Amino acid sequence: MPLPPELQSILVCPQCKGTLEYATTPREELHCHACALAYPITDDIPIMLIEKARSLACQK
């Protein structure tokens, strides 16, 4: 289930406070292109912890 637009509009990257992009491929997560981090979405809940984010830098 996609994130509700009203939730997407208020979420920002916890590291840089930048805009997040909702992605569903390869997994459901929120991408911060400025920090090159991807925050997972588990059971429809965004996990907005920097230590739980994965790096987008190694993604091809």
Side-chain angles (χ1 to χ4, degrees):
M1 168 186 261
L3 284 178
E6 52 277 350
L7 179 58
Q8 273 184 268
S9 70
I10 61 171
L11 290 176
V12 296
C13 175
Q15 182 164 287
C16 73
K17 309 300 183 239
T19 304
L20 295 169
E21 176 187 3
Y22 176 69
T24 58
T25 306
R27 56 187 71 94
E28 192 177 23
E29 55 194 9
L30 294 167
H31 292 177
C32 175
H33 294 287
C35 295
L37 292 174
Y39 297 94
I41 299 173
T42 305
D43 297 326
D44 297 327
I45 300 170
I47 310 302
M48 304 304 293
L49 300 170
I50 296 167
E51 58 271 11
K52 296 291 183 178
R54 70 177 183 88
S55 173
L56 290 173
C58 59
Q59 182 182 16
K60 298 266 179 187

